Amino acid sequence: MSRARADEEEYWHSSKFRAFTFDDEDDELSQLKESKRAVNSLRDIVDDDDDDLERVSWSGEPVGSISWSIKETASGSSSSLDGRDSSLQKGSSSYAALPKQVSSYSLSNLFKGRNKLPSFQSLSDALTDTGVKNYAPELRRPRAEYKDYSSDWNPRDTVRRMQRGKICSLERFRSLQDKLVLLDEAVAGHDGNVITAVLIFLKRTLRREILFRELEVRQVALCHLIHFLKETGEQKLLLDLLRFLDRTEEVALSQYREHLNIQDVEKRREFLKGCIGLPFSAEDTSHIQDHYTLLERQIIIEANDRHLEMAGQSEIFRKYPRKASILNMPLVTTLFYSCFYHYTEAEGTFSSPTNLKKTFKIPDKQYVLTALAARAKLRAWDDVDALLTTKNWLGYTKKKAPIGFHRVVEILQRNNAPVQVLQEYVRLVEDAETRLNLATKYKCHDVVIETYRDLKDRIQLIAYKCKVERGSAEEDKINSILNN
Amino acid sequence: MAAHLSSGRVNLTALREAGRRELREFLDKCAGSKAIVWDEYLTGPFGLIAQYSLLKEHEVEKMFTLKPGRLPPADVKNIIFFVRPKLELMDIITDNVLREDRGRSPQRDFHILFVPRRSLLCEQWLKEQGVLGSFIHREQYSLDLIPFDGDLLSMESESAFKECYLESDQTSLYHAAKGLMTLQALYGTIPQIFGKGDCARHVANMMIRMKREFPGSQNSIFPVFDTLLLLDRNVDLLTPLATQLTYEGLIDEIYGIQNTYVKLPPEKFAPKKQGESGKDLPTEPKKLQLNSAEELYAEIRDKNFNAVGSVLSKKAKIISAAFEERHHAKTVGEIKQFVSQLPHMQAARSSLANHTSIAELIKDITTSEDFFDNLTVEQEFMSGIDTDKINNYIEDCIAQKHPLIKILRLVCLQSVCNSGLKQKVLDHYKREILQTYGYEHILTLNNLEKAGLLKPQTSGRNNYPTIRKTLRLWMDDVNEQNPNDISYVYSGYAPLSVRLAQLLARPGWRSIEEVLKMLPGPHFEERQQLPTGLQKKRQQGENRVTLVFFLGGVTYAEIAALRFLSQMEDGGTEYVIATTKLINGTTWIKSLMEKLEPAPF
């Protein structure tokens, strides 16, 4: 008995897997299926109301959990809520939009979005340089709390009190020396909350050059200030600081980041133009330049095409109306668009694919891939043919695919190319085994037959005979090969 | 309902109980009926501390989600905001308070509970809006370390890694140190502290400082933990980038586990009852809680996925047999016994049904060609093959516009496994990514570079092979079914972080000094003095308990590897795991990406 079990264990554990091997697929899958069947069949035996067992509502939320209760108690008061609660439960757009972002959106987003809410308008003013002083921790204590006030807290006690969430007056630290000791104490405590509070105080009470100079030798505090300035969107001071520190690349990136906040494309383009001269690394400079050029192109193309589409004269736009504007799309998407709508245009126009290819130095591989996908989508098989045909200086033509013909077949197949078209490219796949696989998969009989013929594989050829239609040309072909 | 917290070597129910006590005390400060307005992010973590019933006992009658606009007209005396100290949330609160109808009677009182810390900045912000005075109680609830399971604690601070390594903001480290102090108050002073990395050093310094500054914290509790091991995530950037191959790891990779819950596509969970075929197919995702309270899950979660199928099918046979027993029950006594076992059997059956369905879902993905290709490339990189060339598969994925995060994971993995990429290779990838996904991602690439995940090879030397060989990070003969080494969790790759923990326990770090020097940051050892009465006299054969704290996040596969070490017969050490956040490669990279979406409102 124990012997038998050991054998079974042996069986389960003996498989010599290295990494994930999936060749046992059927076996494992059928095991799962079998367990599932067994388990499901048990349902008939036991009570139908078994869901009560765990007291789980269908969504799986255990009854009584906090998020479940929020829904429950909120819906109880729905009557007078002008339907807000129904949205709360169904997760309709107005509700669903918020909580998801609560956990993910960055502070800078918030600052951007705020001015849409009327009650916050004054706030954005408070963020400009002049308003910043309002930001500092409470400096004058209300009379009521005065009793609690003690003037002889040293920097260490002050920091400790602040760490415990108590409000402290910092005003009493007057000399530069005192302020710096206070800052060092805060940094030593590692509590970002306190460090930031002290920094706000210093920022308000110290001359900028002194603040910068002192922070330069206090890296931790410096990082906190930079982080804080980023969050509150004090771009100007941030850039000044980074410049002072000679962190030019950061200045450039930080400035470039700003373009994301500009919705108007014309303004965005202008802004990007201004970014080109910034001190990026050499590699990044060319990317930024490309970004600007791309947007410039997109604006021209967009204006043109919108016009064309509205006029209704152009067949391609009538047949395939645009789903979205091309503005702010990545380069490759733009190339696809231009291969789709502007394929035949001369190189001189901004929207022509060859022009894009040249301007952005798009590699051959990328270009062929994108053009192929676009033309195949339009089922323009002649274009596909032309794209993959090269002529040498003697005038001979030859088929060439920098991406490999197996990829060509894949793309064409995805676009439902007819067998005749597909066959032509399957035939060009170099590796015999891959060719055979693809040909079999897509039923390109001729290619399969020819390949077996070339491999002189009589047995496979005979076997394949039963896969083609009886009396068809393919069958004749197989027979004639076999007879030779 | 919290039984799973006390199942481990350290009873974490005490920590949960301390959290509940603090919550009750706060609620009782606001006398009368209450409504809580929740920062949505907090409901998950709070759910692990308390259920609604506890709040209800303390007169919480309504609960809402925090959102701009007028608060619902609940007839309560107190409105309490439970929020993280974030400025954007302060704006929403301000909006709520300003729109409150002043004419209503009776007036409602406002309070704020900051989690985990009060923030001077936020209060100042509220003051600017002229609403600070509207709040009667402004308090903090230090939810630093939340018990997730009997051997697992997390701070669920999603931006901790970014703050520490990108912005040099050490606030989350401060919270980690605070959490450790709380832990020591409950479970005794931890006599030995080891660490590797800059952040680890900081946390240890803070702990020592806090202990010195609050001498009252000297406690007389017999220490439960023998050792604390602090590990920086940036000591091991490799592990989270690889695809986890344990059952729990794969569930997280594919569906994402949040606060022990997972949401799954409902189709496979449709209750199949006769006579109502196809009707009422659920459209909402199925939500399941995953922890060791579920016996079956505890057994299979840490297994390599390839070993899960056989366990499930064996269980199915056992359960079927158990149900068959009813035919043999003849006497009243036998029937009675059978019936008494029914609830347990039913629970086991429904648990088995769920996991069979989940395993099927996962199998669909792991058997896909793309999953296999991706994994092959990962494993090539980790075993040191062709890490210095442009990789074809990565190029293909970019050409086919696979999700950007997937691309970034692979490129970063290649970079880490090559101690940085050759400049030419790096530039090539960068160009392809920017041209295909948009130039604005230059910001994200920059963040990854700053964090050390994607970088040019500067030293001109690749240290990874030495590290790999010395720490035996790649094992060729891995046994997934019956593992004898931690490398089973990635089917060949042994997570570096866990290897460090393993080598620390035996034979000690002195044996790997050279490699430790190649990894970033200092390594150190500290001792905390114990009063003589509290010094431990170990029984023969008694295991040591080590708390491993991952600063910057830990993956489920790493947790599985540590659990595997705990269970080794001659291991001699049991592990409890703490972290700033439970992560996987996707959530981790995402936290480092520049947010590009336009403003939410």
Side-chain angles (χ1 to χ4, degrees):
Chain A
M1 148 85 205
S2 72
R3 173 77 211 156
R5 172 177 285 166
D7 279 347
E8 201 186 339
E9 296 282 331
E10 178 69 31
Y11 170 76
W12 288 115
H13 299 148
S14 62
S15 40
K16 290 268 181 293
F17 292 154
R18 188 180 162 271
F20 257 54
T21 45
F22 300 114
D23 42 6
D24 62 330
E25 185 179 335
D26 289 335
D27 183 39
E28 276 243 359
L29 212 56
S30 64
Q31 273 182 20
L32 284 178
K33 292 239 169 69
E34 182 198 317
S35 334
K36 186 156 189 167
R37 251 200 315 279
V39 168
N40 280 335
S41 68
L42 297 174
R43 282 182 191 277
D44 305 331
I45 306 168
V46 294
D47 200 346
D48 266 359
D49 284 333
D50 54 332
D51 277 352
D52 263 8
L53 207 69
E54 293 168 78
R55 297 261 307 153
V56 174
S57 62
W58 167 249
S59 67
E61 205 89 69
V63 173
S65 81
I66 286 178
S67 42
W68 175 83
S69 314
I70 290 181
K71 288 182 194 158
E72 278 303 296
T73 62
S75 60
S77 59
S78 64
S79 53
S80 52
L81 250 174
D82 37 71
R84 189 182 295 142
D85 275 316
S86 62
S87 69
L88 206 154
Q89 280 188 305
K90 295 210 180 86
S92 83
S93 58
S94 66
Y95 165 77
L98 182 65
K100 257 188 229 129
Q101 277 141 357
V102 164
S103 58
S104 65
Y105 61 37
S106 68
L107 275 172
S108 52
N109 273 340
L110 187 269
F111 287 102
K112 272 174 268 156
R114 191 186 322 96
N115 19 9
K116 280 193 190 154
L117 284 177
S119 59
F120 292 139
Q121 215 123 56
S122 61
L123 252 178
S124 43
D125 300 338
L127 281 177
T128 59
D129 235 9
T130 50
V132 165
K133 66 173 187 295
N134 301 330
Y135 226 91
E138 197 152 342
L139 302 169
R140 307 223 181 287
R141 310 187 57 73
R143 269 181 200 290
E145 284 180 278
Y146 222 80
K147 277 180 234 149
D148 196 27
Y149 181 89
S150 153
S151 59
D152 44 278
W153 291 331
N154 55 29
R156 173 169 287 205
D157 291 336
T158 308
V159 166
R160 261 193 236 163
R161 267 184 74 80
M162 286 165 79
Q163 281 184 343
R164 266 172 274 139
K166 298 266 175 8
I167 289 165
C168 294
S169 161
L170 303 179
E171 205 74 334
R172 138 178 60 79
F173 298 98
R174 291 235 174 86
S175 71
L176 178 61
Q177 185 61 31
D178 282 354
K179 287 174 187 171
L180 293 176
V181 172
L182 181 68
L183 181 62
D184 291 339
E185 271 303 326
V187 169
H190 294 280
D191 184 352
N193 183 26
V194 178
I195 299 173
T196 307
V198 172
L199 282 168
I200 296 168
F201 168 66
L202 297 191
K203 176 163 153 283
R204 194 175 63 77
T205 58
L206 287 179
R207 279 226 315 283
R208 197 170 277 192
E209 307 82 77
I210 298 173
L211 178 67
F212 288 179
R213 190 191 67 210
E214 293 300 338
L215 286 184
E216 197 179 5
V217 293
R218 290 172 174 78
Q219 284 298 315
V220 175
L222 179 67
C223 290
H224 278 268
L225 184 65
I226 290 174
H227 184 40
F228 167 77
L229 294 177
K230 272 187 197 158
E231 282 197 347
T232 52
E234 287 175 74
Q235 189 69 10
K236 194 175 166 300
L237 187 60
L238 175 63
L239 293 179
D240 284 348
L241 175 58
L242 292 175
R243 266 187 218 110
F244 172 85
L245 298 167
D246 233 10
R247 285 155 70 164
T248 50
E249 236 186 289
E250 244 176 282
V251 174
L253 282 167
S254 174
Q255 207 150 332
Y256 168 75
R257 181 184 288 110
E258 280 293 290
H259 86 267
L260 293 166
N261 298 332
I262 303 170
Q263 297 303 315
D264 181 278
V265 273
E266 290 289 343
K267 283 186 191 148
R268 191 184 263 213
R269 186 196 59 191
E270 275 313 299
F271 186 88
L272 286 173
K273 193 176 183 180
C275 288
I276 294 172
L278 296 173
F280 291 102
S281 67
E283 182 66 16
D284 286 356
T285 302
S286 78
H287 294 315
I288 304 294
Q289 167 84 50
D290 282 354
H291 191 177
Y292 164 72
T293 315
L294 180 63
L295 186 59
E296 192 184 35
R297 288 295 171 86
Q298 287 173 338
I299 290 172
I300 298 169
I301 298 173
E302 177 68 22
N304 247 328
D305 289 1
R306 195 185 306 133
H307 183 76
L308 274 174
E309 195 174 32
M310 300 258 275
Q313 301 288 314
S314 160
E315 202 198 322
I316 180 104
F317 286 108
R318 259 206 323 262
K319 226 167 144 189
Y320 305 97
R322 302 186 311 153
K323 287 195 187 89
S325 115
I326 194 63
L327 296 172
N328 294 320
M329 291 294 167
L331 175 62
V332 170
T333 314
T334 313
L335 179 64
F336 180 88
Y337 176 95
S338 116
C339 288
F340 195 89
Y341 288 110
H342 303 279
Y343 195 60
T344 51
E345 273 168 31
E347 200 187 307
T349 66
F350 281 146
S351 46
S352 91
T354 28
N355 190 312
L356 284 175
K357 179 175 189 248
K358 241 187 179 157
T359 313
F360 295 98
K361 298 191 193 76
I362 297 171
D364 240 13
K365 218 168 154 181
Q366 183 69 269
Y367 179 80
V368 170
L369 207 61
T370 314
L372 190 65
R375 297 327 284 171
K377 196 165 182 95
L378 286 166
R379 309 178 67 81
W381 310 124
D382 290 345
D383 289 341
V384 170
D385 186 67
L387 185 69
L388 300 171
T389 306
T390 51
K391 230 184 223 168
N392 70 10
W393 57 279
L394 284 171
Y396 294 118
T397 59
K398 202 186 159 204
K399 288 272 189 292
K400 238 180 86 185
I403 52 172
F405 280 102
H406 65 286
R407 291 289 302 280
V408 173
V409 171
E410 218 173 84
I411 293 169
L412 295 180
Q413 199 276 332
R414 222 181 297 142
N415 287 288
N416 301 319
V419 174
Q420 303 91 283
V421 174
L422 217 50
Q423 184 152 294
E424 194 180 333
Y425 300 101
V426 174
R427 188 170 280 136
L428 294 168
V429 173
E430 224 159 83
D431 177 52
E433 199 180 325
T434 321
R435 191 185 333 140
L436 214 45
N437 275 338
L438 287 170
T440 319
K441 200 160 147 197
Y442 302 132
K443 300 207 165 48
C444 305
H445 300 307
D446 277 349
V447 183
V448 179
I449 296 165
E450 285 159 25
T451 309
Y452 282 138
R453 182 195 60 200
D454 296 346
L455 292 171
K456 300 194 188 336
D457 195 335
R458 223 182 142 79
I459 298 160
Q460 288 291 347
L461 202 54
I462 292 168
Y464 199 74
K465 219 166 107 174
C466 61
K467 291 202 182 132
V468 300
E469 248 173 84
R470 192 152 287 186
S472 65
E474 286 88 2
E475 197 188 34
D476 290 349
K477 194 168 173 179
I478 295 180
N479 285 332
S480 92
I481 295 170
L482 288 174
N483 291 336
N484 275 328
Chain B
M1 63 142 293
H4 60 288
L5 296 181
S6 53
S7 56
R9 178 71 186 275
V10 179
N11 187 348
L12 294 178
T13 325
L15 182 64
R16 184 170 177 273
E17 200 37 62
R20 290 162 73 92
R21 197 186 320 119
E22 205 185 324
L23 185 59
R24 272 187 293 233
E25 280 166 12
F26 173 73
L27 289 172
D28 289 341
K29 267 187 194 165
C30 315
S33 57
K34 311 165 184 58
I36 295 179
V37 183
W38 285 95
D39 168 356
E40 176 97 347
Y41 183 82
L42 291 177
T43 56
F46 259 86
L48 297 170
I49 300 285
Q51 298 272 290
Y52 180 50
S53 56
L54 179 141
L55 303 176
K56 211 167 174 181
E57 280 163 27
H58 295 264
E59 297 182 86
V60 175
E61 287 172 7
K62 303 273 179 199
M63 307 222 277
F64 309 107
T65 311
L66 182 66
K67 56 181 185 231
R70 187 188 287 244
L71 285 171
D75 213 2
V76 290
K77 188 163 180 312
N78 301 283
I79 301 270
I80 313 176
F81 294 94
F82 277 35
V83 287
R84 286 166 298 159
K86 293 198 174 256
L87 292 184
E88 71 261 32
L89 300 180
M90 296 306 112
D91 284 344
I92 300 176
I93 293 180
T94 304
D95 192 41
N96 286 167
V97 172
L98 290 177
R99 284 168 191 245
E100 175 80 352
D101 181 6
R102 292 287 148 197
R104 67 173 291 140
S105 70
Q107 282 262 324
R108 301 191 286 192
D109 292 341
F110 292 109
H111 315 274
I112 294 190
L113 188 64
F114 287 110
V115 185
R117 299 288 319 284
R118 246 173 110 166
S119 146
L120 299 167
L121 200 57
C122 286
E123 295 189 12
Q124 187 62 30
W125 192 258
L126 291 171
K127 192 167 178 239
E128 285 305 314
Q129 315 304 305
V131 295
L132 189 68
S134 312
F135 299 99
I136 296 177
H137 290 293
R138 302 192 301 271
E139 309 248 339
Q140 67 182 25
Y141 181 73
S142 8
L143 191 64
D144 287 323
L145 282 169
I146 306 155
F148 271 60
D149 215 320
D151 58 356
L152 181 59
L153 302 157
S154 172
M155 294 165 60
E156 282 310 283
S157 160
E158 55 181 352
S159 49
F161 183 84
K162 186 181 184 187
E163 284 167 10
C164 289
Y165 299 97
L166 220 58
E167 286 151 356
S168 308
D169 177 343
Q170 291 161 0
T171 309
S172 54
L173 299 181
Y174 175 77
H175 290 224
K178 285 282 243 190
L180 282 165
M181 296 310 281
T182 309
L183 221 52
Q184 291 190 97
L186 289 167
Y187 302 101
T189 303
I190 307 175
Q192 251 186 330
I193 304 176
F194 290 93
K196 171 71 187 166
D198 287 320
C199 293
R201 183 69 263 183
H202 279 307
V203 171
N205 287 350
M206 280 186 259
M207 288 173 69
I208 293 163
R209 186 184 152 113
M210 285 173 186
K211 195 176 173 218
R212 202 175 51 226
E213 287 181 1
F214 302 100
S217 65
Q218 186 65 266
N219 62 39
S220 53
I221 297 168
F222 201 79
V224 176
F225 296 103
D226 298 281
T227 309
L228 165 66
L229 169 59
L230 295 160
L231 281 178
D232 273 34
R233 184 73 271 176
N234 85 336
V235 168
D236 173 14
L237 294 171
L238 196 167
T239 303
L241 294 169
T243 304
Q244 307 171 68
L245 298 177
T246 57
Y247 181 54
E248 188 166 48
L250 276 166
I251 296 177
D252 188 42
E253 294 276 349
I254 298 167
Y255 299 106
I257 301 174
Q258 282 185 342
N259 301 302
T260 73
Y261 285 92
V262 66
K263 283 184 183 159
L264 298 158
E267 301 80 35
K268 295 239 174 179
F269 299 90
K272 278 202 199 85
K273 286 174 186 167
Q274 277 147 1
E276 42 174 309
S277 55
K279 203 180 73 185
D280 288 338
L281 263 183
T283 48
E284 258 189 73
K286 168 96 169 165
K287 200 171 170 185
L288 284 175
Q289 185 166 29
L290 301 173
N291 63 31
S292 64
E294 190 183 350
E295 204 179 306
L296 175 62
Y297 188 64
E299 186 180 337
I300 58 177
R301 63 179 172 185
D302 299 321
K303 288 192 184 301
N304 185 295
F305 184 62
N306 276 343
V308 167
S310 57
V311 176
L312 289 178
S313 71
K314 263 189 241 169
K315 292 275 168 192
K317 280 179 202 145
I318 294 168
I319 286 203
S320 300
F323 274 98
E324 280 309 304
E325 285 290 309
R326 76 188 188 287
H327 296 305
H328 309 301
K330 294 278 182 334
T331 67
V332 177
E334 281 167 354
I335 292 173
K336 211 169 159 187
Q337 204 200 336
F338 178 81
V339 169
S340 73
Q341 284 169 353
L342 255 182
H344 181 223
M345 287 160 68
Q346 276 173 261
R349 194 221 69 209
S350 100
S351 161
L352 185 58
N354 281 339
H355 289 292
T356 310
S357 298
I358 297 174
E360 274 184 322
L361 285 167
I362 293 178
K363 191 91 191 168
D364 286 346
I365 291 175
T366 54
T367 49
S368 71
E369 202 179 320
D370 191 58
F371 185 88
F372 182 72
D373 291 346
N374 185 67
L375 195 64
T376 309
V377 172
E378 283 183 11
Q379 300 210 329
E380 278 173 12
F381 288 159
M382 292 189 289
S383 53
I385 299 168
D386 286 345
T387 50
D388 56 350
K389 298 190 189 113
I390 291 161
N391 182 279
N392 273 333
Y393 176 72
I394 296 181
E395 276 211 302
D396 280 358
C397 288
I398 296 176
Q400 293 170 49
K401 245 190 152 179
H402 283 222
L404 177 58
I405 293 192
K406 172 183 173 177
I407 310 293
L408 295 176
R409 265 179 89 159
L410 282 170
V411 176
C412 289
L413 183 67
Q414 185 177 355
S415 171
V416 173
C417 291
N418 198 55
S419 304
L421 296 168
K422 281 186 185 156
Q423 192 68 48
K424 214 180 68 197
V425 176
L426 179 63
D427 288 347
H428 178 84
Y429 282 139
K430 267 180 148 176
R431 176 169 292 272
E432 297 250 298
I433 289 170
L434 295 178
Q435 291 190 340
T436 307
Y437 297 92
Y439 290 105
E440 60 276 16
H441 292 291
I442 207 168
L443 297 165
T444 292
L445 294 179
N446 228 272
N447 286 351
L448 295 175
E449 209 164 312
K450 248 191 191 167
L453 279 162
L454 183 63
K455 58 177 188 187
Q457 202 184 75
T458 42
S459 60
R461 231 182 87 214
N462 181 2
N463 280 334
Y464 178 70
T466 315
I467 298 171
R468 187 185 74 233
K469 279 173 208 146
T470 317
L471 299 182
R472 291 181 301 121
L473 298 185
W474 185 260
M475 306 295 276
D476 273 322
D477 49 347
V478 61
N479 186 341
E480 292 166 342
Q481 306 289 333
N482 230 354
N484 48 20
D485 180 69
I486 56 170
S487 55
Y488 85 92
V489 298
Y490 287 99
S491 292
Y493 166 73
L496 194 159
S497 55
V498 182
R499 203 55 115 199
L500 288 182
Q502 187 183 12
L503 289 166
L504 176 68
R506 193 180 294 167
W509 276 357
R510 210 161 293 164
S511 60
I512 51 165
E513 283 280 339
E514 286 306 307
V515 166
L516 283 174
K517 277 184 199 145
M518 289 178 186
L519 299 168
H523 58 282
F524 60 89
E525 178 183 353
E526 296 281 351
R527 275 172 198 280
Q528 302 198 90
Q529 280 303 319
L530 291 176
T532 33
L534 295 180
Q535 274 158 18
K536 215 171 192 174
K537 288 183 196 72
R538 199 176 310 283
Q539 303 290 314
Q540 184 99 51
E542 190 190 337
N543 283 342
R544 301 170 57 82
V545 183
T546 297
L547 175 65
V548 187
F549 202 130
F550 290 84
L551 301 163
V554 68
T555 64
Y556 288 100
E558 286 170 301
I559 295 169
L562 282 168
R563 283 181 183 146
F564 171 79
L565 292 179
S566 290
Q567 282 156 16
M568 282 217 314
E569 254 173 48
D570 53 351
T573 308
E574 284 179 57
Y575 294 93
V576 174
I577 301 128
T579 182
T580 50
K581 176 89 178 88
L582 292 160
I583 57 166
N584 59 46
T586 301
T587 57
W588 190 41
I589 295 280
K590 212 176 196 166
S591 79
L592 290 169
M593 286 173 80
E594 204 69 31
K595 306 275 189 303
L596 301 172
E597 318 89 62
F601 50 83

